[in-house]
């Protein structure tokens, strides 16, 4: 961090103070004298945030920041990103939808270099109200329905199969309305079985 501070033009007592602030921010003060090679993946990611935040930029960009982290480190990382976003723009590029759902204000989805969705988080979910359904059925019927409907996910539950379906109206007898999620929106745009 001291080296990165120098690279970013920070010098003397202000650099020392900023490095200490960053170590506290990312909860690495106790590991300040350890070699980075011995850090866990989560610790390395937090160190990366500290390095990026040293010069207090107005925009931070993270690419797949929680990939490979255990659940505890992912939660810690998301909390850190949320705290950073209070006074700056944080762009988070990821396929891990739960990371976005817990911290994002605005959702942008791109496919093949083109923007396919842009909205506030609330509007993204509200747009799907009444369009997400669940249907418990047999494995055989599930296979038949998958060719006819926009099936977002399939879960085996014992001898039954639970389908999550996107449809403007009730897609099949026995289907019940389900609470929409950001994952549903993602699957609508990136499900190869439909044209969205």
């Amino acid at each position: 961090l001291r080296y990165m501070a120098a690279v970013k033009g920070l010098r003397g007592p202000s650099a020392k103070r900023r490095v200490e602030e960053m170590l506290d921010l990312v909860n690495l003060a106790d590991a300040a004298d350890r070699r980075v090679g011995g850090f866990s993946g989560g610790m390395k990611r937090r160190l990366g945030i500290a390095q990026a935040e040293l010069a207090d930029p107005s925009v931070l960009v993270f690419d797949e920041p929680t990939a490979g982290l255990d659940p505890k480190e992912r939660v810690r990382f998301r909390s850190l990103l949320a705290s950073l976003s209070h006074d700056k723009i944080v762009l988070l590029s990821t396929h891990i939808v739960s990371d976005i759902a817990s911290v994002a204000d605005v959702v942008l989805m791109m496919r093949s270099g083109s923007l396919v969705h842009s909205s506030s988080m609330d509007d993204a979910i509200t747009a799907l109200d009444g369009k997400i359904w669940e249907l418990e059925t047999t494995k055989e019927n599930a296979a038949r329905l998958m060719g006819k409907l926009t099936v977002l996910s399939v879960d085996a539950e014992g001898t039954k199969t639970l389908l999550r379906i996107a449809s403007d109206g009730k897609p099949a007898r026995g289907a019940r309305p389900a609470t929409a999620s950001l994952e549903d929106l993602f699957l609508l745009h990136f499900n190869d079985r439909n044209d969205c």
Side-chain angles (χ1 to χ4, degrees), residues 44-66:
K44 288 178 182 176
R45 297 273 165 72
R46 285 185 276 141
L47 177 61
I49 288 179
Q51 290 173 331
E53 182 67 6
L54 271 169
D56 195 23
S58 57
V59 178
L60 288 169
V61 179
F62 296 100
D63 183 24
E64 300 288 352
T66 63

Side-chain angles (χ1 to χ4, degrees), residues 23-38:
L23 287 170
D24 287 338
L25 175 73
V26 298
N27 198 25
L28 287 175
D30 292 342
D33 295 325
R34 287 179 45 195
R35 296 178 75 74
V36 175

Side-chain angles (χ1 to χ4, degrees), residues 71-86:
K72 185 177 176 182
E73 280 292 339
R74 284 180 57 215
V75 169
R76 184 180 298 164
F77 197 87
R78 288 194 310 245
S79 297
L80 180 56
L81 290 180
S83 71
L84 291 173
S85 69
H86 291 298

Side-chain angles (χ1 to χ4, degrees), residues 135 137-154 163-166 171 191-195:
L135 175 64
T137 188
T138 63
K139 187 185 296 186
E140 295 77 20
N141 193 43
R144 184 181 63 77
L145 290 173
M146 286 176 64
K148 295 180 175 182
L149 302 172
T150 304
V151 177
L152 302 176
S153 65
V154 180
L163 300 179
R164 193 161 177 90
I165 303 164
N191 182 344
D192 291 332
R193 288 186 294 256
N194 67 55
D195 296 329

